Amino acid sequence: MKSFFVLNMLIFTAVLYGQNVISEYISPDLNTVRLHRSGWHHSNPIIRLNSDQKLQLSFDELHSGVKNYYYSITLCDFDWKESMLIPTEYFRGTLINPVSDYAYSFNTTVDYVHYNLVFPENHNRILLSGNYIIKVFENFDGENPVLIKKFMVVESGATIKAHVKPTVQSSRRESFQEIRFEVEHPSFQILNPISEVTATIIQNGRTDNIISGLRPQFFRAGFMDFNYMRETKMEGGNEFRHIDLRSRRFIVENVSEVRFIDPFYHVHITKDLSRKTEQYSFQQDFNGRYYVEVREYNNPNTEADYFFVHFSLHADYADIFEKVYINGELTNWQQNEFSQMNYNIIEKKYEHTLLLKQGYYNYHYLTVTEGNTKGTLYDFENNYVQTENDYLILIYYKGISDRSYKLIGAETFNSIN
């Protein structure tokens, strides 16, 4: 009876809220939330339709006992508005499933429960390609999720060939990268590419500078050209800064102090300086990502501790019309109160503290001007056309008779490889 009620509520919700734009959400009680292809921790959360590929979602809940968590999956359009389809049209199996794999932390100063989920589970199947969200909630309370994350399911409809070059705009040629690409679809019929196809470009994992709504410039049978001149340029940025938190016994590069202040560990990062006037220098990085690891123990999922990590960035003054954020996967690529830095006028620095699990982290300092949603790295990181970046290109298709957007192509390209 409960399952029948839940099914009807999901159908009702899908119809009633079909045009709401969905944003990712992480409860303040959760930390180290990761979603990627199972077996590939640095991958984008994308799997192929009708394949044996799985996604892995993991997170920690701090200072808590085990909760009765459940999850559901929802189809979205290319712009992350909820699809008008009902769940049974894109998902086969049990609509609400428990998150039953969990373990308690061991020998850590911060107690937590580590949850792990690999999906779609064997008794479930995703029927359509496209954009999806996974929503985690307690005790069937789907209206109050503790976690919302985006993922994608792609079908084999198109092949993407991309080229990352200096922008043709002369004033920005040394600092901006331009992404040009062509799409081949010899076996996938598209009658009207201009109205039926749209493309999206994502740089590394940034959420503020996504380019979307691109339509093909030219096309012929089985081929589409997206070689724009200026619309697909992005600032090159700089190689990511890094911090090594894998050990609490040794002070490593970029760490000035590790101190235990009962009952927690505090790590102070060496004060960062602006790189605005520096020359470009290549450094190997993870393009904003991180991985969890602890050198003294074997199981990082439950034996890695949490540190209060104190960041500081030198600045002679603060612009009252700008906000500075710590940007990267460590802050879920979001610009909000959890990633925003505060200016210390006495010590002439921006500062902020994050609670981070032991591991190796990449990060940038991103500046957002009042009234804008798109940030810039130029103020503190500089921009270089030589910078190594990852670009994810997504190709969406919706035919005249289709009721949802299909994801027919998804490829990640590197700017120098």
Side-chain angles (χ1 to χ4, degrees):
M1 186 67 181
K2 178 179 285 188
S3 298
F4 178 79
F5 173 76
V6 169
L7 170 61
N8 278 278
M9 284 302 296
L10 282 172
I11 295 174
F12 175 76
T13 301
V15 173
L16 184 61
Y17 298 104
Q19 293 303 306
N20 290 345
V21 176
I22 299 178
S23 300
E24 291 197 339
Y25 170 74
I26 299 175
S27 165
D29 297 326
L30 305 187
N31 211 316
T32 317
V33 178
R34 308 207 68 196
L35 178 59
H36 51 79
R37 189 188 302 175
S38 181
W40 187 5
H41 286 199
H42 286 163
S43 65
N44 290 302
I46 303 174
I47 56 174
R48 290 209 167 271
L49 184 67
N50 299 324
S51 73
D52 59 358
Q53 293 177 350
K54 305 286 187 179
L55 289 163
Q56 182 173 0
L57 173 67
S58 60
F59 59 91
D60 296 337
E61 183 160 25
L62 310 182
H63 309 294
S64 175
V66 173
K67 302 283 185 64
N68 292 318
Y69 281 133
Y70 294 83
Y71 74 93
S72 64
I73 290 172
T74 302
L75 176 67
C76 300
D77 287 334
F78 80 97
D79 54 1
W80 295 103
K81 293 178 181 178
E82 292 186 40
S83 170
M84 294 299 292
L85 300 184
I86 61 175
T88 52
E89 293 181 272
Y90 56 80
F91 189 81
R92 180 174 297 164
T94 307
L95 294 173
I96 292 184
N97 297 270
V99 181
S100 55
D101 184 359
Y102 61 86
Y104 289 95
S105 61
F106 176 75
N107 199 30
T108 57
T109 60
V110 175
D111 295 327
Y112 60 88
V113 179
H114 178 75
Y115 293 87
N116 184 70
L117 170 67
V118 177
F119 71 98
E121 298 177 82
N122 292 333
H123 59 281
N124 293 328
R125 181 184 170 199
I126 295 175
L127 304 177
L128 301 176
S129 67
N131 289 345
Y132 285 85
I133 62 159
I134 181 169
K135 184 163 59 173
V136 177
F137 42 89
E138 189 178 2
N139 294 331
F140 294 99
D141 187 8
E143 296 301 308
N144 294 290
V146 298
L147 174 63
I148 299 174
K149 289 289 288 182
K150 298 176 179 179
F151 70 94
M152 287 151 279
V153 178
V154 61
E155 58 185 272
S156 301
T159 301
I160 307 168
K161 296 181 179 180
H163 316 275
V164 181
K165 301 178 178 181
T167 180
V168 296
Q169 191 174 352
S170 59
S171 62
R172 297 187 172 186
R173 190 169 178 81
E174 299 301 318
S175 56
F176 276 66
Q177 297 174 347
E178 191 170 87
I179 304 90
R180 298 186 178 189
F181 57 100
E182 297 89 35
V183 177
E184 296 179 355
H185 54 98
S187 302
F188 191 93
Q189 186 178 25
I190 299 176
L191 298 178
N192 188 352
I194 297 297
S195 63
E196 296 176 343
V197 175
T198 182
T200 296
I201 304 174
I202 302 173
Q203 184 192 56
N204 301 319
R206 282 179 64 177
T207 58
D208 64 294
N209 66 340
I210 293 174
I211 298 173
S212 60
L214 296 170
R215 303 290 181 176
Q217 291 282 85
F218 307 100
F219 57 90
R220 61 177 184 268
F223 176 86
M224 295 179 291
D225 185 327
F226 289 82
N227 288 320
Y228 283 82
M229 299 296 289
R230 290 184 171 87
E231 291 85 349
T232 57
K233 69 178 185 297
M234 289 187 174
E235 58 179 3
N238 204 342
E239 308 301 344
F240 282 84
R241 303 174 193 255
H242 65 272
I243 175 64
D244 188 345
L245 303 175
R246 291 175 291 178
S247 175
R248 60 189 179 193
R249 298 178 181 175
F250 305 102
I251 294 179
V252 295
E253 182 186 7
N254 298 335
V255 174
S256 62
E257 182 182 36
V258 178
R259 180 186 298 181
F260 180 74
I261 304 176
D262 194 20
F264 305 120
Y265 279 93
H266 292 257
V267 176
H268 291 265
I269 307 302
T270 303
K271 183 189 293 184
D272 284 319
L273 304 177
S274 171
R275 299 191 285 179
K276 190 173 183 178
T277 59
E278 293 181 2
Q279 296 295 314
Y280 172 76
S281 176
F282 175 78
Q283 298 178 42
Q284 192 70 47
D285 62 19
F286 295 107
N287 287 332
R289 297 176 175 86
Y290 69 86
Y291 63 90
V292 175
E293 185 178 57
V294 56
R295 286 181 171 174
E296 289 81 13
Y297 302 102
N298 297 320
N299 187 349
N301 289 335
T302 55
E303 294 181 303
D305 210 342
Y306 274 89
F307 299 157
F308 286 95
V309 183
H310 303 270
F311 292 82
S312 63
L313 171 66
H314 175 78
D316 289 327
Y317 63 91
D319 189 326
I320 62 173
F321 298 108
E322 293 181 342
K323 295 179 180 179
V324 179
Y325 299 92
I326 301 173
N327 197 234
E329 190 183 18
L330 78 172
T331 56
N332 200 39
W333 301 98
Q334 300 294 310
Q335 293 80 57
N336 53 32
E337 65 272 22
F338 299 107
S339 60
Q340 183 180 347
M341 305 190 79
N342 297 310
Y343 188 70
N344 184 327
I345 194 171
I346 303 299
E347 300 188 22
K348 293 186 176 181
K349 66 178 182 180
Y350 285 94
E351 53 190 10
H352 188 56
T353 300
L354 296 176
L355 184 63
L356 299 177
K357 198 173 187 177
Q358 285 184 268
Y360 189 92
Y361 291 81
N362 279 186
Y363 65 97
H364 268 157
Y365 292 113
L366 184 74
T367 302
V368 180
T369 305
E370 184 178 322
N372 293 334
T373 56
K374 181 180 178 180
T376 179
L377 296 172
Y378 176 71
D379 291 348
F380 293 106
E381 307 295 354
N382 212 328
N383 283 318
Y384 303 100
V385 71
Q386 305 99 312
T387 302
E388 180 258 329
N389 291 303
D390 287 331
Y391 289 96
L392 172 62
I393 300 177
L394 305 167
I395 307 298
Y396 297 95
Y397 166 81
K398 185 178 181 182
I400 190 170
S401 61
D402 292 328
R403 296 170 55 226
S404 66
Y405 281 86
K406 300 176 181 179
L407 180 59
I408 62 171
E411 297 287 348
T412 300
F413 300 90
N414 189 270
S415 61
I416 64 174
N417 296 324

